[in-house]
Amino acid sequence: PPMVGDYTERQTAFVARAGLFKVPVLGACLRSWNSTPIKESGNDKAAIMEVLARLKEGHAVVIFPEGRRCKDGAMQPFKRGLSLLVKMGKVPVVPVAVEGCFDCFPPGHAPRFYWRGPRIAMRYGRPLSYDELMKEVPDGALLHVEREIDRMRLELRGLLRAKNVDYFPPAGPGDQPVKRDAQPRRRTMTAAPSPETQDAS
């Protein structure tokens, strides 16, 4: 989260799982990073209202719509809370893709050390306007953002391999596009490819 916010010129606010605020040191860091706790399951109306209030004040709010870190390196389908925030916030969404974190530091394991080449890549996409996202039903807006981030993520994975002579990141589930068990209903729409506005590694 700090890396995503560090490359922006605006003040950013974050949303993090409520349980993380109870972890020693990490909890204090999250509070200092202007973070809002949100429940790990079910609806958290108070957190949603807090996010909407920060958006109304003009802050950029950083959310991680997968909900939690993945267990195998594959991108997980986004939570539908993103659709609610898009609908109620009526603000542009800037998609951001981050790749390499799982391969460097898998959840529940010690960090893996590599001695050469870049390890993490990040890219900001073009802002997606509220009107553009709402051309589809709300769940269609969710899929629009999900597809855009997944596309950028896979491109960054290829970029890391090109710079690391194919040995990093290692082959695995992260090489596959995001998979949904059920596709939300949406109107058909053709989206133009998004230009890239920033790479960082």
Side-chain angles (χ1 to χ4, degrees):
M3 184 175 71
V4 173
D6 281 347
Y7 287 91
T8 65
E9 296 180 356
R10 298 171 59 192
Q11 181 179 2
T12 55
F14 297 89
V15 174
R17 290 187 290 119
L20 296 177
F21 286 78
K22 300 177 182 178
V23 179
V25 181
L26 177 59
C29 290
L30 288 171
R31 294 181 182 90
S32 70
W33 292 334
N34 200 23
S35 300
T36 296
I38 192 166
K39 292 179 181 178
E40 299 180 30
S41 61
N43 295 322
D44 191 337
K45 184 177 179 180
I48 289 175
M49 296 309 294
E50 175 66 21
V51 169
L52 292 173
R54 295 192 184 199
L55 290 173
K56 188 175 181 180
E57 292 170 357
H59 297 299
V61 179
V62 179
I63 64 172
F64 292 81
E66 290 175 272
R68 62 172 58 240
R69 295 190 67 194
C70 61
K71 296 181 179 180
D72 60 1
M75 182 171 138
Q76 303 301 303
F78 289 175
K79 303 293 185 182
R80 284 182 169 81
L82 175 62
S83 291
L84 180 62
L85 289 174
V86 169
K87 183 177 181 180
M88 298 181 68
K90 298 182 179 180
V91 294
V93 174
V94 179
V96 184
V98 182
E99 184 59 34
C101 295
F102 173 84
D103 299 291
C104 287
F105 195 179
H109 298 274
R112 296 169 177 168
F113 293 98
Y114 299 88
W115 303 107
R116 58 188 175 86
R119 298 290 161 259
I120 306 294
M122 183 174 67
R123 177 173 295 167
Y124 295 90
R126 69 172 177 86
L128 305 173
S129 71
Y130 170 77
D131 290 338
E132 178 182 355
L133 291 172
M134 294 310 293
K135 287 179 181 178
E136 308 180 63
V137 294
D139 273 345
L142 170 73
L143 285 175
H144 190 126
V145 178
E146 183 182 273
R147 288 193 301 262
E148 184 65 11
I149 291 178
D150 198 30
R151 179 189 68 79
M152 293 193 298
R153 179 191 69 81
L154 291 171
E155 288 179 356
L156 290 177
R157 198 165 176 85
L159 177 64
L160 283 172
R161 284 212 177 105
K163 291 188 175 183
N164 289 300
V165 197
D166 292 335
Y167 88 99
F168 182 90
D175 293 321
Q176 301 302 316
V178 64
K179 295 181 180 179
R180 277 189 173 272
D181 293 333
Q183 291 287 337
R185 191 165 50 117
R186 64 188 189 281
R187 299 190 189 105
T188 302
M189 133 179 217
T190 302
S194 296
E196 300 133 5
T197 59
Q198 179 173 351
D199 288 334
S201 58

